[in-house]
Amino acid sequence: MATVLMADGAVFAAEPAAVNAGVQAAKLSGPDDHAARDAQQDRLAWFRDARFGMFVHWGPYSELAGEWKGQRVEVDRNAEWIMKFLKISAAEYREMARQFNPVKFDAEAWVRLAKTTGMRYLVVTAKHHDGFAMYHSKASPYNIVDWTPFKRDPLKELSEACARAGIRFCVYYSHREDWDDPDGYGNDWDYVPEKQDFEAYLERKSKPQLRELLTNYGPVGLVWFDRGLYTPEQAQDFVQLVRGIQPACLVNGRVGNYEHELMADYQNMNDNGMPAGGIEEDWEAPQTLNETWGYSRFDTNWKSPEVVVRRLVEIVSKGGNYLLNIGPRGDGSIPEASVATLEHVGAWMRTNGSSIYGTSASPFPELPWGRCTVKNNILYLHVFQRPADGALELTGLRNNVRKASLLMQPGRSLESSRNGASVRISVPPIPADAIDTVVALELDGPPRVDPPVVTEAEGEAVILQYLNAVTSGKAVKRFNRRGQFHISKWTGPADQASWRVRFLQPGRYRVHLQCAGAPGRPSGAFVLAAGDQAVHIESPQASGWYQYATRDVGVLAIAAAGEQELVLRPAREIGQDVMCFKSLKLVRLP
């Protein structure tokens, strides 16, 4: 939630969905590129509503099931990488793929399972890193129709089944990595990298296959690229290829080089990654149902329905989408343990789905008993563990409560009361749901919540992180593929990060700034201000992306004890993003 301290001391809290759909969208395109920004918002509308999708990793590697000639891929490694891990030659792997015959594949059953689970989109591997196309490709005979006895096109069947069921059909395509192609990236045991012509591979196979997927399978909700590309120009070619054929199709953030600035419509966390807090851009967490993505007969570490439901709720409460993977067997059947877990999750979703679909991030930094999602003027309180005193406390909520009830029993009202700046809701002694009991709290308007307060402790430094900042303007909390988080997208004085800090006494503080510069861009002048006191900061220049460092930037005077607002902003219009901010440390001087 974007919370702003007004001049008169009042607290204004923008409705989270508006933040995600409006203000934060401006960070992804130029300030004057209104048409592109509007088009992006249209593309993202279904994605923001869906919140829950099915990922499917399936190919010839599924037939191997984690083993090749007596050698196993360990359970904590990805079974779909077996060709690379065990250095299987392209020739041997091709011969193995000739026998691939998934006679138990049933597109209707797969899509029915996704819908029963409450998933709104399905992403299937059209081509993984092994280079084998799981559809009828004219660009390469190395595909399931021309190469195997199966002779059917699973993607065609899935796209049609998804259309009938109202599920968004989406494709995963490994555009960079191809261990079969002599010019593709990744196979250094058969081919000599120095002799490869990567651009030739892109033009001969990668781009033509992407065109096929976008042309022959109806509307595609998104293309899920993986492993990135070398240059921004290469990535932009793929983005524009998608835009030219299906303008409404989303492109994920892994289309570009992981060491460069992220691009495209939305970002992906690292595999099985989870952010500490909300990110102010559209994002998705791809996660596995066991340990691996592709099927392994040795991996039985299945997540329970409780784990899956609570991860879904946690991800959505932080503003993201949950893309949960299944790995069908080589014969096309889905492991029974996967089906059992997903059916239990589906039962929970049928009762509680309104607390997931179309919701946005929690306005509260932490809740000891569970999570919160938001839709318009309703807070959905997800109770994982009932408090000992039987009351859910929401600190800093300024709204009046119109009604509190159990989501699964809307006619059963719950008692609510206000205690100063907190609202308390009494919950029944016996949970309505063993995994997650959802309380629907109807407010008198979009939620208004006080910003968090950082309190100085005696003898300790004051730490101001990206996570507990309140952003405004174009400044936004972001993620990079090194697994690090920061605030960036500053362009001028209106783009700010602010903190409420409770100081023990007046004094002078040495300020240490942790940040990274943007390579190829000049430094920029920033100001850290507390009332009429300020420190002037020059953002660093950098030779590479995300090279965070901490440096002393000066001394800030705090005029009085008690709460103060600290604001970090550009000193003037800078026209481009020049700093990735992580934290400030204020050390009291003697």
Side-chain angles (χ1 to χ4, degrees), residues 129-425:
H129 309 326
D130 62 355
F132 184 85
M134 292 294 292
Y135 70 99
H136 194 194
S137 173
K138 302 296 185 183
S140 168
Y142 193 44
N143 68 76
I144 193 169
V145 176
D146 295 326
W147 197 260
T148 79
F150 189 58
K151 302 303 178 188
R152 287 162 51 193
D153 187 333
L155 263 64
K156 176 66 73 174
E157 295 177 28
L158 282 169
S159 66
E160 293 170 352
C162 282
R164 287 190 290 271
I167 301 290
R168 293 270 177 171
F169 174 73
C170 310
V171 295
Y172 168 112
Y173 185 80
S174 177
H175 59 325
R176 174 189 185 222
E177 203 106 359
D178 193 310
W179 305 329
D180 180 76
D181 195 289
D183 293 316
Y185 178 84
N187 186 338
D188 57 4
W189 59 96
D190 285 321
Y191 311 121
V192 180
E194 291 75 18
K195 295 183 179 180
Q196 291 178 309
D197 187 342
F198 183 67
E199 288 289 345
Y201 155 73
L202 293 180
E203 298 300 326
R204 183 184 68 253
K205 184 177 183 181
S206 192
K207 291 179 182 178
Q209 287 193 330
L210 180 59
R211 289 189 190 98
E212 292 174 339
L213 293 168
L214 293 166
T215 303
N216 300 329
Y217 295 89
V220 176
L222 63 87
V223 177
W224 215 98
F225 294 106
D226 203 6
R227 303 286 289 166
L229 284 167
Y230 295 105
T231 69
E233 292 76 19
Q234 289 172 335
Q236 194 60 37
D237 281 350
F238 277 82
V239 173
Q240 291 306 317
L241 197 159
V242 174
R243 296 280 182 266
I245 300 175
Q246 293 206 27
C249 181
L250 294 173
V251 175
N252 72 326
R254 295 192 187 185
V255 65
N257 190 305
Y258 295 175
E259 297 298 309
H260 294 170
E261 179 72 342
L262 296 174
M263 51 196 304
D265 293 302
Y266 73 94
Q267 310 301 355
N268 303 109
M269 292 297 99
N270 290 343
D271 294 355
N272 286 302
M274 181 78 78
I279 300 169
E280 295 168 332
E281 291 182 314
D282 296 277
W283 61 276
E284 177 184 67
Q287 300 197 5
T288 53
L289 195 53
N290 48 351
E291 299 293 329
T292 187
W293 303 86
Y295 175 69
S296 169
R297 63 162 88 51
F298 310 110
D299 184 0
T300 57
N301 296 333
W302 305 104
K303 293 177 177 64
S304 67
E306 176 180 311
V307 168
V308 172
V309 167
R310 291 187 178 184
R311 285 198 178 180
L312 169 64
V313 171
E314 179 178 1
I315 289 165
V316 176
S317 77
K318 294 176 178 179
N321 281 29
Y322 189 24
L323 185 61
L324 180 60
N325 181 75
I326 63 168
R329 298 185 181 97
D331 64 6
S333 63
I334 299 173
E336 292 73 18
S338 297
V339 175
T341 291
L342 295 183
E343 287 179 343
H344 277 87
V345 172
W348 184 89
M349 285 292 288
R350 282 190 289 279
T351 302
N352 299 285
S354 59
S355 69
I356 299 295
Y357 303 128
T359 61
S360 51
S362 170
F364 303 98
E366 291 244 357
L367 296 169
W369 37 261
R371 299 282 171 182
C372 172
T373 55
V374 182
K375 187 184 296 180
N376 300 321
N377 67 325
I378 298 177
L379 296 180
Y380 293 104
L381 310 180
H382 297 261
V383 185
F384 298 165
Q385 183 175 359
R386 182 180 181 272
D389 64 358
L392 311 178
E393 185 163 1
L394 299 173
T395 302
L397 179 62
R398 294 296 185 180
N399 298 74
N400 292 321
V401 176
R402 287 179 176 170
K403 180 183 178 183
S405 61
L406 294 177
L407 184 57
M408 64 189 308
Q409 300 172 10
R412 183 176 180 180
S413 296
L414 303 176
E415 182 182 343
S416 65
S417 61
R418 175 169 292 282
N419 181 16
S422 296
V423 170
R424 291 170 62 86
I425 304 98

Side-chain angles (χ1 to χ4, degrees), residues 4-23:
V4 181
L5 188 72
M6 307 301 283
D8 62 0
V11 173
F12 168 74
E15 202 280 314
V19 171
N20 290 341
V23 177

Side-chain angles (χ1 to χ4, degrees), residues 454-462 501-505 509 588:
V454 179
T455 301
E456 181 182 17
E458 187 69 47
E460 296 182 10
V462 175
V501 184
R502 185 175 293 117
F503 290 97
L504 296 176
Q505 56 188 340
Y509 291 79
R588 180 180 286 274

